Amino acid sequence: MGAGIAQVSAAAGYHVYLSDIDLAKAEAGKANIANALARLVAKDKMGQVEADALMSRIEPVANYEPMAEAGLIIEAATEREDIKRKIFEAVGKILGDQAVLASNTSSIPITRLAQSSPDPKRFIGVHFFIPVPVMGLIEIIRGLATTDATVDIVRQYGAALGKQLVFANDAPGFIVNRVLMPMINEAIYCVMEGVGTPDAIDTVMKLGMNHPMGPLTLADFIGLDTCLAILEVLHNGLGDPKYRPCPLLRKYVAAGWYGRKSGRGFYQY
């Protein structure tokens, strides 16, 4: 996700500082971007000069200090509030006086996360969708203190990326996952209860509902650990039992079956 955001930002002409848990991880992220661009060049969907220029605008960094000159810093860590808060506290020490700090969270309330930012007025949610270079949507969530000026900065950024912006109120799961995760969770219940096989459930939703992919394939693509984390935010934040994560989902995550990224989920990869 972070590499995808870096790629589309650099494609829009921004200079990007790409950070991870260490410099080697950040450099690996840039290498993955280079591989993706090489495939586009090979298919004549991008010129080599354009690809080289894009790559020159991405700078892997070992720490946050270079970001002191950045106008926008986007956190794209895993969907765990404790990890995100640590990042905000660290980044807050170098955040410029006019810079915006944004979270790519897909479910955690922005007002709550803003407590760990140096200035909640300049804190906002920018929820991208994977794969970022392909998906045309950014879900924007403003916290209770987020100013119009902060929203305008993110609006201009989204326009530069050529993305469609949808604004959601600051509630657990926002719009996308408030609607999507109960469907995925119910599909998992159907597997657990023997209502249908994963392939049958996905086929029904693709051919019967005209979805581009079935909910279980999508869950594997998102990451079952991420799906579980989002459902827990929904369940804890809204208190409604309809968001209770399916026991089979918990079992798969406990087994390390996270989906595509681990090689095994509802399907094998």
Side-chain angles (χ1 to χ4, degrees):
M1 180 67 81
I5 296 171
Q7 179 180 331
V8 297
S9 298
Y14 293 101
H15 184 83
V16 180
Y17 297 106
L18 182 60
S19 175
D20 209 313
I21 58 175
D22 56 39
L23 182 58
K25 291 281 188 182
E27 289 174 339
K30 182 173 180 177
N32 288 337
I33 297 171
N35 291 336
L37 297 185
R39 290 192 292 270
L40 293 177
V41 171
K43 296 177 181 178
D44 292 325
K45 294 183 177 180
M46 176 181 281
Q48 188 62 57
V49 172
E50 181 185 358
D52 291 342
L54 190 160
M55 291 301 298
S56 71
R57 290 191 286 269
I58 300 175
E59 181 180 346
V61 293
N63 50 54
Y64 299 131
E65 278 69 19
M67 298 183 188
E69 61 187 73
L72 173 64
I73 299 178
I74 302 173
E75 166 273 319
T78 189
E79 196 69 353
R80 279 181 49 188
E81 187 167 346
D82 58 331
I83 293 175
K84 292 179 182 295
R85 284 183 177 274
K86 288 179 181 177
I87 292 172
F88 300 146
E89 289 168 0
V91 169
K93 296 175 182 177
I94 58 88
L95 187 71
D97 292 340
Q98 305 299 317
V100 169
L101 178 57
S103 175
N104 182 57
T105 180
S106 56
S107 64
I108 305 171
I110 296 302
T111 299
R112 193 165 80 210
L113 288 177
Q115 297 170 1
S116 296
S117 73
D119 185 358
K121 297 190 296 297
R122 292 182 286 128
F123 188 84
I124 194 168
V126 289
H127 179 203
F128 285 83
F129 297 84
I130 198 165
V132 178
V134 175
M135 303 298 281
L137 176 68
I138 306 177
E139 189 178 33
I140 305 297
I141 311 96
R142 64 189 300 167
L144 194 61
T146 306
T147 63
D148 290 342
T150 297
V151 173
D152 287 342
I153 288 171
V154 172
R155 195 193 304 271
Q156 293 169 23
Y157 168 70
L161 268 55
K163 302 292 188 184
Q164 175 72 44
L165 305 186
V166 171
F167 289 82
N169 286 330
D170 188 24
F174 317 128
I175 296 172
V176 172
N177 282 317
R178 180 78 174 264
V179 175
L180 173 63
M181 284 301 154
M183 180 183 71
I184 287 176
N185 202 41
E186 194 62 28
I188 299 171
Y189 269 110
C190 285
V191 175
M192 185 181 75
E193 296 170 5
V195 177
T197 64
D199 184 64
I201 294 164
D202 280 352
T203 298
V204 164
M205 296 305 292
K206 286 190 294 182
L207 301 184
M209 301 293 106
N210 203 29
H211 289 193
M213 69 174 68
L216 299 171
T217 298
L218 179 56
D220 275 357
F221 191 72
I222 294 170
L224 301 188
D225 53 336
T226 300
C227 291
L228 177 58
I230 294 169
L231 282 164
E232 286 176 333
V233 169
L234 287 165
H235 190 220
N236 294 333
L238 299 172
D240 194 320
K242 71 182 178 183
Y243 300 113
R244 180 174 67 92
C246 178
L248 183 61
L249 175 60
R250 292 191 182 278
K251 182 180 288 187
Y252 276 28
V253 172
W257 293 8
Y258 300 148
R260 184 181 292 272
K261 63 187 175 184
S262 70
R264 178 76 184 264
F266 288 98
Y267 301 93
Q268 292 193 40
Y269 301 91

